């Protein structure tokens, strides 16, 4: 592996014009494809196999044109103080609004509040229900604009008007947060490299990779039913790993220059060593993202595969375009220890005398860097550092035991949004459960007495706890299927409402045995419950798949059993601690004012599996980059404890910079007004902090120091069975000398 990548690095450095032309052509091709592709809306949403989805599919068959899974909106009106919605002027305004809403091209029906009995008992609040042909994620912007315009016209007439429902669902704006992340990354890179040019390369290549990935997703969005959320995740992950991968190769290149190697040779060795780590780190991220398909939620699968494609592009760019750009830069890229003149450079670091390993360790005035000092401390006090790290993360993980999962509704929106104000008005006028009605579908096609079955279902539901209203059954034309609307007493996201859904389904089993009629519960609230259950059920299989495959991959990389095991256990510890922090802030309300969390409640059900997928890939990045340097030193003859120090001397500064960049990218999303985006940003930022600075920087060296040579133990039979990928670049110790002549590449046959 190292020798093969070494040749790629040298070739890209020497043929830089050709390499740059290829990437520019790919970026142009992707851009043209995105510009000429038909516009695509948000991805359609379905959860195959769930009861709520089966009910939606049944309604599509038995109620043609009903659009059971179509978007809905509730336009809520409140009369001015001292007036009633039944007043003549207010009634005229509402009916004019209803007429305006019915003119929409995607609207299937609009219920007049005065004929649908949608006026509160005190007469101060009323609502008009709007149903659309397509789901909220597929709704055109023109339909949303028309909905907002109709509400504004009613406001201008003197009413308080707010709009709730999934018709206003739209992709969150994330451009400003990405800009913040890029700005912080630029500052960190300049500090790390001491050079504006060297700092610019990771940013430039990451943006090119994200540009190609997102443009390709846009070009294929219509054909593959990819939504805007797909490109958002791809850009977030692609930007973060793209900067990190390029950062590691540029840093290694400067280290090779500091050892006195020629620039082409340094580029080859940088790609051969750090590039090998990039390949395997990228593979762990790919495994984590593609593994999201085991959840069997099509939208989540597409998001994972698309993001994985962007990560693959980031790996290829780091291996080819970075050495090409280094060739263009020439002597303007300084060796490690030198700064550019613009940043006060000109002083060359002096090599430390007598350091073991012969790897070109440099430092200012023979002074060990911070990574060396920290690793030396950990090696001297491994037990204390290990206990402190494990106990600290364990304490942070305690709140995770109280984790409650669910999908947020409009009640979790900020009070500044119209959705939240509509939610509050409906709760005020009709009760909290009115915001999440359940739709019960009765399939009586196989029943001898369908009408009796419809009546029995309604009567059974009325006898359940937490039920406020049960509407009469509404049959289809054939009379073999009916819908019943159930309004709970509790709010949609509460555990009580979830219990009611399960209770109705439990009664349905008894009704089926008695009448041969099937009872299905659906609606947005039931769909959210089913999605949460699907995600909960998939978490352990997904975790086993991802950790298992990555464990096997890391055995090949490190040629050790205990190092991959330690990596996986450390990751689980950091993820549990991060989940504990999320529960403390978003469920318990700790520091909620600082994080601007207006409404506490269940943690988004997608959060644990999403965090496992993304953070696992990123955590293994740091593991691979840091520990491969340690193994490299160990393979080259250093003692285990000294190899740990050497690994930190070369890698700690770069891994720290990479983690800070990653945290900055994710933290930018904490400022989002969307509670889900805020939660994802906070959770990922905290998880990266825990994993990079506590697990990888403290627990890992402490464990390796305690294990000593046993850390690199591998059974002989397994050693013979595993392929030798040579991530440490052992083959380059002799191969490099044969490459004084650029045409000598064919002499290298070992890979």
């Amino acid at each position: 592996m190292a020798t093969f990548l070494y040749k790629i690095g040298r070739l890209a450095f020497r043929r830089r014009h050709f390499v740059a032309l290829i990437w520019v052509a790919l970026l142009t091709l992707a851009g043209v494809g995105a510009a000429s592709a038909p516009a695509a809306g948000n991805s359609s949403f379905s959860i195959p196999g769930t009861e709520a989805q089966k009910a939606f599919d049944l309604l599509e068959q038995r109620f043609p044109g009903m659009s059971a899974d179509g978007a809905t909106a509730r336009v809520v009106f409140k009369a001015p103080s001292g007036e009633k919605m039944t007043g003549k002027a207010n009634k005229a305004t509402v009916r004019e609004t209803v007429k305006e809403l019915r003119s929409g091209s995607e609207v299937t029906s609009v219920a007049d509040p005065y004929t649908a009995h949608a006026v509160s008992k005190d007469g101060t609040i009323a609502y008009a229900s709007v149903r659309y042909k397509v789901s909220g994620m597929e709704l055109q912007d023109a339909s949303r604009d028309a909905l907002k315009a109709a509400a504004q016209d009613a406001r201008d007439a003197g009413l308080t008007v707010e709009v709730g429902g999934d018709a206003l669902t739209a992709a969150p704006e994330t451009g400003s947060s990405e800009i913040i992340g890029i700005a912080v990354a630029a500052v960190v890179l300049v500090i790390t490299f001491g050079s504006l040019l060297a700092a610019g390369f990771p940013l430039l290549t990451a943006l090119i990779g994200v540009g190609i990935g997102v443009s390709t997703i846009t070009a294929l969005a219509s054909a593959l039913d990819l939504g805007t959320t797909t490109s958002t995740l791809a850009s977030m992950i692609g930007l973060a790993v793209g900067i990190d991968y390029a950062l590691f190769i540029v840093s290694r290149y400067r280290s090779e220059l500091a050892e006195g190697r020629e620039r082409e040779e340094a580029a080859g060795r940088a790609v051969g060593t750090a590039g090998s780590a990039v390949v395997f780190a990228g593979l762990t991220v790919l495994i984590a993202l593609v593994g999201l398909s085991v959840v069997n939620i099509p939208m989540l699968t597409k998001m994972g595969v698309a993001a994985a494609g962007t990560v693959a592009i980031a790996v290829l760019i780091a291996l080819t375009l970075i050495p090409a750009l280094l060739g263009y830069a020439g002597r303007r890229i300084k060796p490690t220890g030198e700064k550019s003149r613009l940043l006060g450079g000109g002083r060359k670091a002096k090599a430390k005398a007598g350091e073991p390993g012969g790897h070109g360790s440099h430092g200012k005035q023979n002074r060990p860097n911070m990574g060396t000092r920290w690793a030396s401390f950990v090696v001297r006090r491994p037990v204390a550092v290990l206990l402190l790290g494990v106990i600290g993360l364990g304490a942070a993980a305690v709140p995770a035991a109280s984790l409650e999962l669910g999908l947020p509704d409009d009640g979790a929106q900020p009070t500044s949004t119209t959705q939240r104000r509509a939610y509050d008005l409906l709760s005020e006028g009709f009760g909290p459960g009115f915001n999440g009605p359940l739709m019960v579908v009765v399939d009586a096609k196989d029943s001898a007495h369908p009408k009796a079955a419809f009546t029995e279902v309604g009567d059974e539901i009325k006898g359940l706890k937490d039920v406020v209203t049960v509407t009469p059954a509404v049959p289809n034309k054939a009379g073999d299927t009916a819908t019943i609307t159930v309004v709970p007493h509790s709010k949609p996201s509460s555990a009580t409402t979830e219990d009611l859904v399960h209770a109705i389904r439990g009664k349905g089993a008894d009704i089926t045995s008695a009448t041969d009629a099937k009872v299905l519960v659906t609606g947005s609230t039931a769909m959210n419950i089913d999605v949460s259950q699907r995600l909960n059920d998939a978490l352990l299989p997904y975790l086993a798949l991802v950790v298992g495959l990555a464990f096997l991959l890391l055995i090949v990389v490190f040629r050790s059993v205990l190092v991959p095991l330690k990596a996986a256990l450390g990751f689980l510890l950091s993820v549990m601690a991060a989940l504990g922090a999320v529960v403390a802030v978003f469920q318990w309300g700790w520091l909620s004012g600082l994080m601007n969390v207006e409404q506490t409640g269940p943690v988004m059900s997608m959060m644990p599996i999403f965090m496992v997928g993304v953070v696992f890939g990123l955590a293994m990045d740091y593991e691979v980059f840091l520990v491969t340097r340690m193994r490299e030193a160990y393979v080259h003859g250093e003692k285990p404890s000294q190899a740990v120090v050497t690994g930190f001397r070369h890698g700690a500064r770069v891994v720290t910079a990479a983690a800070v960049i990653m945290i900055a990218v994710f933290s930018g999303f904490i400022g989002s007004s969307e509670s889900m985006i805020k939660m994802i940003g906070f959770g990922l930022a905290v998880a990266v902090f825990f994993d990079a600075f506590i697990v990888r920087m403290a627990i890992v060296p402490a464990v390796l120091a305690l294990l000593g040579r046993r850390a690199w133990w591998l059974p002989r039979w397994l050693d013979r069975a595993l392929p030798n990928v040579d991530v440490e670049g052992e083959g380059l110790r002799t191969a490099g000398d044969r490459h004084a002549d650029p045409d000598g590449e064919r002499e290298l046959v070992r890979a």
Side-chain angles (χ1 to χ4, degrees):
M1 172 69 78
T3 307
F4 173 71
L5 294 178
Y6 167 82
K7 292 189 288 184
I8 289 179
R10 286 176 60 97
L11 183 65
F13 186 97
R14 192 166 59 252
R15 306 297 185 197
R16 47 189 171 271
H17 302 309
F18 180 69
V19 172
L21 182 62
I22 288 178
W23 284 110
V24 170
L26 289 175
L27 180 61
T28 303
L29 184 63
V32 170
S36 58
N42 289 292
S43 176
S44 58
F45 187 79
S46 63
I47 314 294
T50 61
E51 179 170 319
Q53 187 63 49
K54 290 177 181 177
F56 278 140
D57 296 339
L58 181 65
L59 289 173
E60 289 290 341
Q61 297 174 11
R62 306 286 175 84
F63 291 81
M66 180 181 177
S67 299
D69 59 347
T72 58
R74 280 177 170 172
V75 182
V76 187
F77 307 90
K78 184 174 183 180
S81 179
E83 298 183 21
K84 301 287 187 181
M85 287 305 304
T86 52
K88 184 176 180 181
N90 293 336
K91 185 179 289 188
T93 299
V94 171
R95 285 185 165 157
E96 184 62 31
T97 303
V98 169
K99 182 180 178 182
E100 185 177 350
L101 289 170
R102 285 174 177 163
S103 63
S105 60
E106 293 184 306
V107 174
T108 58
S109 65
V110 181
D112 186 317
Y114 303 104
T115 58
H117 307 290
V119 181
S120 63
K121 291 182 179 180
D122 62 5
T124 60
I125 297 174
Y127 70 90
S129 296
V130 186
R131 183 172 290 278
Y132 294 86
K133 298 176 183 177
V134 295
S135 68
M137 304 186 73
E138 299 173 289
L139 201 63
Q140 295 179 3
D141 290 338
S143 295
R144 293 193 182 94
D145 293 340
L147 178 61
K148 295 174 184 177
Q152 187 58 49
D153 290 343
R155 289 191 193 102
D156 295 339
L159 297 178
T160 298
V161 185
E162 306 297 345
V163 182
D166 61 349
L168 291 183
T169 300
E173 298 291 335
T174 57
S176 60
S177 58
E178 291 178 6
I179 292 173
I180 293 171
I182 292 172
V184 173
V187 173
V188 172
L189 289 170
V190 170
I191 294 173
T192 302
F193 289 135
S195 166
L196 292 176
L197 186 61
F201 284 171
L203 287 174
L204 175 62
T205 54
L207 291 174
I208 290 174
V210 169
I212 294 174
V214 172
S215 296
T216 302
I217 291 170
T218 303
L220 300 175
S222 179
L224 301 181
D225 191 25
L226 305 177
T228 53
T229 51
T230 304
S231 59
T232 299
L233 176 64
S235 63
M236 181 171 66
I237 303 301
L239 182 65
V241 301
I243 293 175
D244 278 6
Y245 295 163
L247 166 66
F248 287 113
I249 291 180
V250 173
S251 177
R252 186 58 184 256
Y253 172 75
R254 297 177 73 230
S255 296
E256 297 293 336
L257 289 179
E259 292 185 2
R261 291 191 171 86
E262 294 296 325
R263 294 186 178 274
E264 184 177 329
E265 176 70 12
R269 284 179 175 267
V271 175
T273 52
S276 298
V278 165
V279 169
F280 284 98
L283 283 175
T284 60
V285 180
L286 293 178
I287 289 172
L289 291 172
V290 174
L292 289 171
S293 58
V294 304
V295 183
N296 195 25
I297 296 179
M299 184 182 70
L300 195 59
T301 300
K302 293 172 185 176
M303 290 171 65
V305 172
T310 306
V311 171
I313 293 171
V315 172
L316 294 175
I317 283 182
L319 298 178
T320 57
L321 187 55
I322 283 293
L325 292 177
L326 293 173
Y328 282 118
R331 298 188 179 277
R332 285 170 290 183
I333 298 294
K334 306 296 181 182
T336 298
E338 285 191 47
K339 293 182 179 180
S340 65
R341 292 181 180 179
L342 185 62
L343 296 176
R347 296 169 298 149
K348 190 170 183 178
K350 296 179 181 179
K352 292 181 182 180
E355 284 189 338
H359 282 66
S361 304
H362 293 264
K364 294 180 180 179
Q365 300 174 349
N366 292 330
R367 199 174 146 203
N369 61 24
M370 187 176 294
T372 302
R373 296 196 298 271
W374 169 249
S376 299
F377 170 77
V378 174
V379 168
R380 291 195 306 269
R381 301 283 189 271
V383 175
V385 172
L386 178 61
L387 289 177
L388 189 61
V390 171
I391 292 173
L393 290 179
V398 168
S402 303
L403 178 67
E404 295 179 7
L405 297 177
L407 288 176
D409 51 32
D410 285 346
Q413 297 272 9
T415 54
S416 59
T417 62
T418 186
Q419 294 99 315
R420 173 61 184 277
R421 292 195 293 264
Y423 181 97
D424 292 341
L425 284 176
L426 288 172
S427 296
E428 176 188 339
F430 303 92
F434 201 77
N435 284 286
L438 306 175
M439 180 182 289
V440 178
V441 181
V442 185
D443 179 7
K445 189 173 184 178
D446 298 328
S447 175
H449 305 285
K451 290 184 179 180
F454 300 154
T455 302
E456 183 174 348
V457 171
D459 292 340
E460 290 285 350
I461 294 174
K462 287 177 183 177
L464 297 175
K465 294 181 180 179
D466 197 48
V467 173
V468 174
T469 304
V470 178
T471 65
V474 179
N476 62 350
K477 290 183 178 179
D480 58 5
T481 309
T483 60
I484 299 173
T485 301
V486 180
V487 177
H489 184 271
S490 53
K491 63 182 182 179
S493 60
S494 69
T496 307
T497 300
E498 183 175 351
D499 292 340
L500 175 59
V501 170
H502 293 314
I504 295 173
R505 288 172 174 171
K507 287 290 184 181
D510 297 335
I511 293 171
T512 299
S513 61
T515 66
D516 293 326
K518 299 177 183 177
V519 178
L520 305 172
V521 185
T522 188
S524 60
T525 301
M527 179 64 83
N528 287 349
I529 292 171
D530 287 351
V531 170
S532 297
Q533 187 62 49
R534 170 68 62 83
L535 290 165
N536 291 347
D537 294 342
L539 181 58
L540 288 180
Y542 174 70
L543 193 62
L545 172 69
V546 171
V547 175
L549 290 177
F551 178 78
L552 297 177
L553 185 65
L554 293 178
I555 288 179
V556 175
V557 174
F558 296 126
R559 306 196 73 78
S560 163
V561 174
L562 296 180
V563 170
L565 180 62
K566 172 263 309 167
L569 293 176
F571 156 74
L572 293 175
L573 192 58
S574 62
V575 165
M576 290 303 297
L579 279 177
V582 170
V583 170
V585 173
F586 292 90
Q587 188 174 310
W588 291 0
W590 293 6
L591 301 177
S592 58
L594 181 63
M595 295 294 170
N596 197 27
V597 178
E598 297 187 19
Q599 183 74 28
T600 59
V603 172
M604 183 181 65
S605 54
M606 197 178 294
M607 189 70 193
I609 201 164
F610 186 80
M611 184 180 290
V612 166
V614 175
V615 176
F616 181 80
L618 301 179
M620 292 305 103
D621 282 0
Y622 306 134
E623 177 78 14
V624 170
F625 287 125
L626 197 59
V627 180
T628 49
R629 269 290 188 154
M630 298 177 189
R631 175 162 176 79
E632 182 179 340
Y634 176 75
V635 168
H636 291 167
E638 293 189 10
K639 294 180 180 179
S641 59
Q642 182 58 38
V644 171
V645 176
T646 300
F648 266 77
R649 180 169 63 245
H650 291 296
R653 181 183 178 90
V654 181
V655 169
T656 299
V660 171
I661 290 170
M662 199 78 69
I663 292 169
V665 171
F666 293 142
S667 295
F669 292 85
I670 297 176
S672 173
S673 61
E674 290 285 338
S675 60
M676 287 194 299
I677 300 298
K678 185 190 296 287
M679 190 182 296
I680 289 173
F682 175 80
L684 294 181
V686 169
V688 170
F689 174 80
F690 285 156
D691 198 272
F693 294 110
I694 298 181
V695 174
R696 308 304 154 190
M697 292 289 190
I699 294 178
V700 165
V703 171
L704 291 177
L706 288 172
L707 290 176
R709 296 185 182 277
R710 289 169 295 181
W712 309 108
W713 170 78
L714 186 69
R716 290 185 178 180
W717 64 268
L718 187 56
D719 186 38
R720 292 191 298 268
L722 292 177
N724 182 16
V725 295
D726 189 21
V727 176
E728 307 83 18
E730 178 66 20
L732 302 182
R733 289 170 65 86
T734 56
D737 297 334
R738 302 177 194 167
H739 282 270
D741 178 9
D743 295 328
E745 289 181 13
R746 63 175 64 93
E747 296 176 18
L748 267 178
V749 294
R750 289 190 305 156

